[in-house]
Amino acid sequence: MPGPCRSHRRAEAARAAAGRGLPSIEPGQPAPAGTGMSRRALLARASGLALAVYGASHLPLAQLEDSVAHAAAPAAAPGGTVLVSVFLGGGLDGLGLLAPVGDPQYRKLRSGLLIGDEARPFREDDRLRWHPAAEPLRELHEQGVLSVLPAIGYANPDQSHFTSRHYWEVGSLDHRGTTGWMGRLLDRVGDDEHPLQGLSLDGTLSPALATSRVPVAAVADPSEYSFWAHQVWGDVDDLMRESAARIGRAHAASGDPAIAVAGRVAQRSMALYDQLGPVRPKDGEQGAADASPVRYPTAQDSSFPEKLRALAAMLGAGLPLRCVAVDGPGQYDTHDRQAPTLQRNLELLSQTLRAFQADLTARGLADRVLVHVWSEFGRRAQANGSGGTDHGAAGVSLLLGSRVHGSMIGEFPGLSQLDRDGNLRATTDFRALYASIAEQWLGVDGAAILPDAGRVGRYALLR
C-alpha cells in the first residue's frame, strides 16, 4: 500500500503535537484551530470513559457537571438540523472520482490511470464519468439526494496539505485562524452547557469544530462509551454501575459542595451511559447495538462504517447533536499506485454513505441531516511516472441529504485551460459553500462567521 508523501507525514505529526495543546512543530505552518483549548475527561482515565470535553477556557468541575447533565438528556427540540463533515485526508483526486473521459486532453494527461468509456456517465456533464467504485454515489445523485461540486477550491491555491487543510477548517485564507468554521457556527447557535452540540468521532478535537465560547466533545468510538474495572464483567459489571449511580445520588445531596458536584457528575454520567445504550454492541454482536434498519459495509482497516452507523443510532436516540466531524476511510495522498488505492477507498466511502442515507431515511431523520464530504485539494491533472498524481488545486466536494437539490453546483472547467502549475481551475469557492450552508441549513448569517463572506457569492443548496 502506498504511503503518504513526507510533507503529509510531517503535517500529521505537527497536528498530533498541537492536539496536546503544544505549538506546531512544523516551522512556518499555521497552528491548527483549537490549539491550546482545555480538555477534560468526564471521569478519570481509569474509569474507561471515552468522551472528552473541550472548552475555550479551563472547564471547572461545576461546568463539567452541567455539560454531563445536558448531554445525558435528549434534545428538548430534536427536530433541529445537523451538519456532518466527512474529511478525506491527503487530497482526493477529483479527476479520478469524476473522470473527464470526454475531454480531448484526458487520454494525453492521464496515461496509466484511464477510466474506460464503459464507466457510467455523470448526468449533468457528458464529458464526465463516475469511477466504477463510486456507483453508489452515482445512484444517490440520480435519486436527487447528492449534489456535486466538481471543481471547488480557492484563488491562488496553496498545495501544502497542512496549509490548505487549515484554510478549509477555519473557513478563511488566514494562517492565523484559531477557531474552526463549524466552531463559530456553534458559538452562534449553541449554548454554554452541553458538549454534544459539536462532536468529533475520531478521538481528538477536529479543528473545524474549535470554538471560542461553547464546549464541544470528542469520542474515539461511540459504541465503546463504557465504565471499566479490572476483571469485572457480566452481572457484577451491571451491579457496579448501579452502585455508582446510587453512590452518586447519595453524594449529590451532600452538604459539602465539592462532594455534591462529584456525586452529580457520577450520577449524570451514568444517565449518559444509559442514553448511549442503543449505540453499544450487545454480547456477541458487532457494531451499534440497536438493529440498524440497513446493512453497512464491513472493513478490517477502517471504522468509518461503524462510526456512521453509531451516529445514526445517536441521532435516533435524540442526542442533541448539531455539528459532527469524522474522517473518511483511507488515505488519498496517492503519489503512486493510485488505481488500487482509489478503488478501495471509493468503494468503502460510497457504500457507507449510501447505507447512512438509507439508515436516516428508515429512521425518519433524513430531512434533518446534511453531509458535507471534502478534501484539502484535488490532484494534478497530469499523471506522474509512478502510477499516481501529485498535489493539485481544485477538487470535488459532495453534499448528501434529502433536502439538497441533487444537482451539479458550479461547472467542470475542462482540461484545456489549466493553471500555470497544471492544475484544474476552481469554479466554486469553498467559502461561498460554507456561507450557503450556514445560511440555508443552520439559519446563521454567513458574514457573522466567515471573514470573506461579503466577497464570495452564494449557491442554492436546498429544494
Side-chain angles (χ1 to χ4, degrees):
M1 180 182 299
C5 66
R6 183 176 300 175
S7 66
H8 191 254
R9 289 194 296 266
R10 289 200 307 268
E12 289 303 306
R15 285 182 171 273
R20 295 192 294 269
L22 303 175
S24 169
I25 61 173
E26 181 77 359
Q29 300 290 352
T35 298
M37 287 181 71
S38 64
R39 176 188 182 278
R40 290 281 300 272
L42 290 183
L43 290 178
R45 182 185 296 267
S47 70
L49 189 63
L51 192 69
V53 176
Y54 293 81
S57 59
H58 178 69
L59 291 172
L61 188 59
Q63 183 177 343
L64 189 61
E65 174 208 1
D66 289 339
S67 296
V68 177
H70 282 76
T81 54
V82 181
L83 175 62
V84 179
S85 171
V86 177
F87 172 58
L88 306 180
L92 168 68
D93 179 28
L95 299 177
L97 173 59
L98 280 175
V101 173
D103 191 298
Q105 298 296 314
Y106 175 67
R107 294 188 179 279
K108 175 182 176 182
L109 294 171
R110 281 292 169 120
S111 177
L113 292 176
L114 297 174
I115 292 178
D117 292 337
E118 71 279 2
R120 304 291 290 275
F122 180 65
R123 185 182 70 233
E124 291 152 291
D125 189 327
D126 58 11
R127 294 173 295 175
L128 303 176
R129 292 181 181 265
W130 290 96
H131 192 291
E135 175 62 16
L137 296 181
R138 188 197 68 81
E139 293 174 357
L140 291 168
H141 183 61
E142 291 294 324
Q143 294 165 15
V145 296
L146 183 76
S147 292
V148 181
L149 294 87
I152 189 169
Y154 53 91
N156 303 313
D158 190 304
Q159 295 173 53
S160 158
H161 291 289
F162 202 96
T163 303
S164 189
R165 176 176 173 179
H166 178 78
Y167 289 164
W168 280 78
E169 288 169 338
V170 302
S172 173
L173 307 185
D174 182 4
H175 282 69
R176 299 164 298 177
T178 59
T179 57
W181 82 279
M182 289 196 296
R184 296 194 297 277
L185 273 171
L186 290 171
D187 282 334
R188 290 274 171 170
V189 303
D191 62 47
D192 298 332
E193 296 179 319
H194 72 75
L196 289 184
Q197 59 198 338
L199 183 63
S200 294
L201 292 178
D202 297 302
T204 58
L205 176 68
S206 167
L209 285 173
T211 63
S212 64
R213 184 178 68 84
V214 303
V216 291
V219 61
D221 185 345
S223 69
E224 293 182 359
Y225 185 102
S226 62
F227 299 88
W228 176 86
H230 183 58
Q231 293 187 341
V232 174
W233 60 84
D235 293 341
V236 177
D237 186 46
D238 294 337
L239 290 171
M240 178 191 71
R241 289 194 301 273
E242 292 172 5
S243 297
R246 287 197 300 271
I247 293 171
R249 286 194 294 271
H251 286 327
S254 172
D256 185 309
I259 293 177
V261 168
R264 287 193 293 271
V265 168
Q267 181 180 359
R268 287 162 177 169
S269 293
M270 290 300 169
L272 181 55
Y273 177 88
D274 291 339
Q275 188 68 34
L276 290 177
V279 181
R280 286 188 299 277
K282 296 178 182 177
D283 292 340
E285 291 186 3
Q286 298 291 324
D290 79 325
S292 292
V294 301
R295 181 182 296 276
Y296 282 75
T298 58
Q300 293 183 343
D301 58 352
S302 175
S303 59
F304 181 65
E306 282 302 308
K307 287 178 178 178
L308 286 199
R309 181 161 73 158
L311 175 58
M314 294 172 79
L315 291 168
L319 293 183
L321 307 175
R322 296 304 303 274
C323 293
V324 180
V326 60
D327 286 349
Q331 172 52 246
Y332 296 85
D333 193 28
T334 50
H335 289 276
D336 58 277
R337 298 185 61 212
Q338 175 170 307
T341 302
L342 194 61
Q343 171 82 22
R344 181 172 59 251
N345 291 346
L346 289 180
E347 280 181 353
L348 187 57
L349 173 72
S350 303
Q351 292 170 10
T352 303
L353 290 176
R354 177 174 61 185
F356 184 62
Q357 182 66 22
D359 197 346
L360 295 175
T361 300
R363 296 174 188 270
L365 301 172
D367 286 349
R368 290 186 50 210
V369 182
L370 177 67
V371 180
H372 173 222
V373 182
W374 63 282
S375 192
E376 65 263 44
F377 47 60
R379 313 297 293 185
R380 190 70 48 82
Q382 185 165 13
N384 60 30
S386 301
T389 51
D390 298 324
H391 298 181
V396 170
S397 277
L398 307 172
L399 289 176
L400 174 64
S402 64
R403 291 170 56 189
V404 303
H405 278 302
S407 59
M408 179 169 64
I409 299 174
E411 61 181 0
F412 179 72
L415 301 177
S416 61
Q417 295 185 356
L418 303 174
D419 70 15
R420 62 184 180 183
D421 293 323
N423 295 320
L424 195 69
R425 295 181 182 273
T427 62
T428 51
D429 192 301
F430 77 96
R431 296 164 296 178
L433 174 62
Y434 286 175
S436 302
I437 291 173
E439 293 171 355
Q440 298 170 40
W441 188 248
L442 291 166
V444 177
D445 181 6
I449 63 164
L450 296 163
D452 301 323
R455 296 197 295 270
V456 295
R458 301 291 190 273
Y459 309 126
L461 304 181
L462 308 180
R463 302 177 195 274

